[in-house]
Amino acid sequence: MTNNFETLEDFLGTHLIYTYDNGWEYEMYVKNENTIDYRIHGGMVAGRWVRDQEANIVKLTEGVFKITWTEPTGTDVALDFLPNKQIMHGTIFFPKWVEEHPEITVTYQNDHIDLMEASREKYDTYPKLVVPEFAKISYVGNAGQNNETVVNVAPYEGILEDIRSGKFFDENYQHSK
Ligand code: FER
């Protein structure tokens, strides 16, 4: 794995897989300076995947990067990545309704934005479920910015093994559906 991240430019275009200490497994693609794509592979909302989520992405200091955003579901997320050390820390702030009805959010969210916004009005927000966890980064790939093929299929059994073993992407970091 690469361990020479310094500037924000180094971090943009990076594709990461990590496992939180509570066992939840996530995949993040830092698409460009204000956009992320991701898939969720384990945990409360495993199976959920999202493209083109707007996010705030900054360098805190050399090799340390922070990504923060709020979801159409009302879930808020704050993530700190130390890719040179293969660790990150994330805090997820779930509204009460996602904890009670996680299955509503387990989908390709982009096709169901209206349902997410309706659900966050219909169900309870409070008390929120706060999940702060460290994670170990198991994969770092240099996908380049605005690569539309990194997150272009739903998560399936074995996809992370396919990615980590090098089967998923071709030599130009392209995945054909
Ligand atoms: C992460 C933690 C939470 C992450 C995404 C989320 C891609 C999103 C949670 C949600 O939308 O419910 O590390 O990385």
Side-chain angles (χ1 to χ4, degrees):
M1 275 195 295
T2 37
N3 68 334
N4 50 356
F5 290 86
E6 193 180 328
T7 66
L8 184 59
E9 200 62 22
D10 296 336
F11 188 58
L12 302 179
T14 301
H15 178 205
L16 306 115
I17 301 168
Y18 43 94
T19 307
Y20 286 105
D21 289 347
N22 65 2
W24 297 7
E25 195 160 33
Y26 282 66
E27 181 187 359
M28 162 71 83
Y29 170 47
V30 188
K31 199 173 209 173
N32 59 47
E33 63 187 4
N34 50 26
T35 314
I36 57 171
D37 292 354
Y38 66 82
R39 279 183 282 243
I40 301 179
H41 301 277
M44 202 174 89
V45 290
R48 174 175 163 74
W49 64 298
V50 171
R51 286 166 53 93
D52 297 318
Q53 170 66 52
E54 188 178 347
N56 291 285
I57 305 170
V58 295
K59 182 189 92 169
L60 295 179
T61 186
E62 284 66 38
V64 182
F65 308 95
K66 187 172 196 92
I67 307 182
T68 52
W69 74 97
T70 185
E71 292 279 343
T73 57
T75 298
D76 299 315
V77 188
L79 309 177
D80 297 280
F81 289 93
L82 289 74
N84 296 331
K85 298 193 175 200
Q86 281 97 55
I87 58 169
M88 61 84 74
H89 183 275
T91 306
I92 315 175
F93 306 79
F94 290 107
K96 184 175 171 68
W97 80 266
V98 176
E99 183 183 7
E100 291 186 324
H101 307 280
E103 70 289 346
I104 297 174
T105 76
V106 176
T107 185
Y108 176 46
Q109 175 170 271
N110 295 57
D111 287 344
H112 304 283
I113 302 290
D114 290 352
L115 175 63
M116 301 307 144
E117 293 180 348
S119 299
R120 79 184 183 198
E121 299 297 334
K122 177 174 176 185
Y123 300 113
D124 289 343
T125 302
Y126 308 105
K128 291 193 181 181
L129 172 64
V130 181
V131 182
E133 291 284 337
F134 282 95
K136 291 183 178 60
I137 298 172
S138 61
Y139 173 88
V140 177
N142 179 12
Q145 292 189 43
N146 301 310
N147 182 337
E148 300 295 344
T149 77
V150 177
V151 177
N152 67 356
V153 294
Y156 59 82
E157 188 68 39
I159 186 173
L160 296 180
E161 288 66 36
D162 287 349
I163 294 170
R164 284 188 288 243
S165 69
K167 278 198 294 201
F168 196 80
F169 296 105
D170 69 15
E171 61 282 6
N172 298 313
Y173 220 96
Q174 298 290 307
H175 173 249
S176 47
K177 288 196 240 188

mmCIF file of all heavy atoms in Angstrom, residues 75-93:
data_model
loop_
_atom_site.group_PDB
_atom_site.id
_atom_site.type_symbol
_atom_site.label_atom_id
_atom_site.label_comp_id
_atom_site.label_asym_id
_atom_site.label_seq_id
_atom_site.Cartn_x
_atom_site.Cartn_y
_atom_site.Cartn_z
ATOM 1 N N THR A 75 -28.394 11.597 8.567
ATOM 2 C CA THR A 75 -27.180 11.082 9.208
ATOM 3 C C THR A 75 -26.017 12.039 8.938
ATOM 4 O O THR A 75 -25.847 12.498 7.801
ATOM 5 C CB THR A 75 -26.833 9.688 8.662
ATOM 6 O OG1 THR A 75 -27.895 8.787 8.969
ATOM 7 C CG2 THR A 75 -25.530 9.164 9.262
ATOM 8 N N ASP A 76 -25.251 12.356 9.979
ATOM 9 C CA ASP A 76 -24.059 13.187 9.841
ATOM 10 C C ASP A 76 -22.825 12.336 10.065
ATOM 11 O O ASP A 76 -22.839 11.414 10.894
ATOM 12 C CB ASP A 76 -24.090 14.335 10.854
ATOM 13 C CG ASP A 76 -25.299 15.237 10.643
ATOM 14 O OD1 ASP A 76 -25.587 15.579 9.488
ATOM 15 O OD2 ASP A 76 -25.964 15.568 11.646
ATOM 16 N N VAL A 77 -21.761 12.632 9.330
ATOM 17 C CA VAL A 77 -20.561 11.802 9.371
ATOM 18 C C VAL A 77 -19.323 12.698 9.424
ATOM 19 O O VAL A 77 -19.241 13.688 8.681
ATOM 20 C CB VAL A 77 -20.477 10.885 8.128
ATOM 21 C CG1 VAL A 77 -19.330 9.894 8.263
ATOM 22 C CG2 VAL A 77 -21.793 10.139 7.882
ATOM 23 N N ALA A 78 -18.368 12.363 10.298
ATOM 24 C CA ALA A 78 -17.088 13.067 10.382
ATOM 25 C C ALA A 78 -15.976 12.026 10.422
ATOM 26 O O ALA A 78 -15.936 11.191 11.334
ATOM 27 C CB ALA A 78 -17.037 13.951 11.621
ATOM 28 N N LEU A 79 -15.102 12.043 9.424
ATOM 29 C CA LEU A 79 -14.065 11.017 9.280
ATOM 30 C C LEU A 79 -12.682 11.649 9.214
ATOM 31 O O LEU A 79 -12.492 12.658 8.518
ATOM 32 C CB LEU A 79 -14.288 10.225 7.984
ATOM 33 C CG LEU A 79 -15.679 9.642 7.723
ATOM 34 C CD1 LEU A 79 -15.705 8.969 6.354
ATOM 35 C CD2 LEU A 79 -16.078 8.668 8.812
ATOM 36 N N ASP A 80 -11.728 11.063 9.921
ATOM 37 C CA ASP A 80 -10.335 11.514 9.883
ATOM 38 C C ASP A 80 -9.461 10.369 9.392
ATOM 39 O O ASP A 80 -9.444 9.303 10.005
ATOM 40 C CB ASP A 80 -9.896 11.961 11.276
ATOM 41 C CG ASP A 80 -10.711 13.148 11.745
ATOM 42 O OD1 ASP A 80 -10.411 14.271 11.319
ATOM 43 O OD2 ASP A 80 -11.685 12.934 12.501
ATOM 44 N N PHE A 81 -8.758 10.602 8.300
ATOM 45 C CA PHE A 81 -7.935 9.560 7.676
ATOM 46 C C PHE A 81 -6.449 9.856 7.862
ATOM 47 O O PHE A 81 -5.988 10.976 7.602
ATOM 48 C CB PHE A 81 -8.221 9.492 6.175
ATOM 49 C CG PHE A 81 -9.570 8.915 5.839
ATOM 50 C CD1 PHE A 81 -10.668 9.746 5.669
ATOM 51 C CD2 PHE A 81 -9.744 7.544 5.689
ATOM 52 C CE1 PHE A 81 -11.920 9.215 5.348
ATOM 53 C CE2 PHE A 81 -10.990 7.007 5.380
ATOM 54 C CZ PHE A 81 -12.073 7.843 5.209
ATOM 55 N N LEU A 82 -5.697 8.817 8.295
ATOM 56 C CA LEU A 82 -4.235 8.869 8.362
ATOM 57 C C LEU A 82 -3.708 7.747 7.464
ATOM 58 O O LEU A 82 -3.258 6.708 7.950
ATOM 59 C CB LEU A 82 -3.753 8.688 9.804
ATOM 60 C CG LEU A 82 -4.001 9.833 10.800
ATOM 61 C CD1 LEU A 82 -5.463 9.939 11.225
ATOM 62 C CD2 LEU A 82 -3.118 9.670 12.025
ATOM 63 N N PRO A 83 -3.807 7.929 6.145
ATOM 64 C CA PRO A 83 -3.519 6.817 5.237
ATOM 65 C C PRO A 83 -2.079 6.311 5.330
ATOM 66 O O PRO A 83 -1.839 5.122 5.089
ATOM 67 C CB PRO A 83 -3.830 7.391 3.848
ATOM 68 C CG PRO A 83 -3.818 8.878 4.009
ATOM 69 C CD PRO A 83 -4.247 9.138 5.425
ATOM 70 N N ASN A 84 -1.148 7.170 5.715
ATOM 71 C CA ASN A 84 0.246 6.705 5.841
ATOM 72 C C ASN A 84 0.394 5.710 6.983
ATOM 73 O O ASN A 84 1.334 4.918 7.003
ATOM 74 C CB ASN A 84 1.193 7.876 6.067
ATOM 75 C CG ASN A 84 1.219 8.828 4.888
ATOM 76 O OD1 ASN A 84 0.993 8.419 3.752
ATOM 77 N ND2 ASN A 84 1.471 10.098 5.149
ATOM 78 N N LYS A 85 -0.527 5.780 7.967
ATOM 79 C CA LYS A 85 -0.482 4.872 9.127
ATOM 80 C C LYS A 85 -1.524 3.775 9.032
ATOM 81 O O LYS A 85 -1.701 2.996 9.978
ATOM 82 C CB LYS A 85 -0.690 5.672 10.410
ATOM 83 C CG LYS A 85 0.403 6.710 10.618
ATOM 84 C CD LYS A 85 0.395 7.290 12.018
ATOM 85 C CE LYS A 85 1.602 8.207 12.135
ATOM 86 N NZ LYS A 85 2.042 8.520 13.438
ATOM 87 N N GLN A 86 -2.256 3.740 7.883
ATOM 88 C CA GLN A 86 -3.304 2.735 7.683
ATOM 89 C C GLN A 86 -4.351 2.726 8.795
ATOM 90 O O GLN A 86 -4.843 1.666 9.201
ATOM 91 C CB GLN A 86 -2.698 1.317 7.514
ATOM 92 C CG GLN A 86 -2.155 1.063 6.117
ATOM 93 C CD GLN A 86 -0.663 1.303 6.020
ATOM 94 O OE1 GLN A 86 0.090 0.713 6.794
ATOM 95 N NE2 GLN A 86 -0.241 2.137 5.104
ATOM 96 N N ILE A 87 -4.662 3.918 9.315
ATOM 97 C CA ILE A 87 -5.745 4.013 10.290
ATOM 98 C C ILE A 87 -6.628 5.221 9.957
ATOM 99 O O ILE A 87 -6.218 6.146 9.237
ATOM 100 C CB ILE A 87 -5.246 4.128 11.749
ATOM 101 C CG1 ILE A 87 -4.341 5.349 11.922
ATOM 102 C CG2 ILE A 87 -4.558 2.857 12.198
ATOM 103 C CD1 ILE A 87 -4.026 5.675 13.372
ATOM 104 N N MET A 88 -7.854 5.188 10.485
ATOM 105 C CA MET A 88 -8.743 6.343 10.411
ATOM 106 C C MET A 88 -9.614 6.324 11.660
ATOM 107 O O MET A 88 -9.629 5.334 12.406
ATOM 108 C CB MET A 88 -9.583 6.360 9.123
ATOM 109 C CG MET A 88 -10.511 5.205 8.898
ATOM 110 S SD MET A 88 -12.093 5.362 9.717
ATOM 111 C CE MET A 88 -12.929 6.587 8.709
ATOM 112 N N HIS A 89 -10.323 7.432 11.901
ATOM 113 C CA HIS A 89 -11.315 7.472 12.966
ATOM 114 C C HIS A 89 -12.569 8.101 12.384
ATOM 115 O O HIS A 89 -12.491 9.109 11.680
ATOM 116 C CB HIS A 89 -10.816 8.292 14.167
ATOM 117 C CG HIS A 89 -11.782 8.288 15.304
ATOM 118 N ND1 HIS A 89 -12.839 9.159 15.392
ATOM 119 C CD2 HIS A 89 -11.863 7.479 16.392
ATOM 120 C CE1 HIS A 89 -13.537 8.889 16.480
ATOM 121 N NE2 HIS A 89 -12.966 7.879 17.113
ATOM 122 N N GLY A 90 -13.703 7.473 12.643
ATOM 123 C CA GLY A 90 -14.959 8.005 12.134
ATOM 124 C C GLY A 90 -15.973 8.152 13.245
ATOM 125 O O GLY A 90 -16.009 7.339 14.173
ATOM 126 N N THR A 91 -16.779 9.207 13.151
ATOM 127 C CA THR A 91 -17.933 9.322 14.036
ATOM 128 C C THR A 91 -19.168 9.487 13.161
ATOM 129 O O THR A 91 -19.208 10.366 12.292
ATOM 130 C CB THR A 91 -17.792 10.508 15.002
ATOM 131 O OG1 THR A 91 -16.550 10.392 15.697
ATOM 132 C CG2 THR A 91 -18.935 10.515 16.006
ATOM 133 N N ILE A 92 -20.136 8.608 13.365
ATOM 134 C CA ILE A 92 -21.396 8.658 12.628
ATOM 135 C C ILE A 92 -22.488 9.054 13.619
ATOM 136 O O ILE A 92 -22.564 8.489 14.717
ATOM 137 C CB ILE A 92 -21.738 7.293 11.986
ATOM 138 C CG1 ILE A 92 -20.512 6.690 11.294
ATOM 139 C CG2 ILE A 92 -22.911 7.443 11.020
ATOM 140 C CD1 ILE A 92 -20.747 5.292 10.739
ATOM 141 N N PHE A 93 -23.308 10.035 13.230
ATOM 142 C CA PHE A 93 -24.403 10.518 14.079
ATOM 143 C C PHE A 93 -25.710 10.136 13.389
ATOM 144 O O PHE A 93 -26.143 10.813 12.452
ATOM 145 C CB PHE A 93 -24.308 12.039 14.244
ATOM 146 C CG PHE A 93 -22.977 12.551 14.745
ATOM 147 C CD1 PHE A 93 -21.886 12.671 13.884
ATOM 148 C CD2 PHE A 93 -22.804 12.938 16.072
ATOM 149 C CE1 PHE A 93 -20.663 13.153 14.333
ATOM 150 C CE2 PHE A 93 -21.579 13.424 16.525
ATOM 151 C CZ PHE A 93 -20.508 13.533 15.651
#
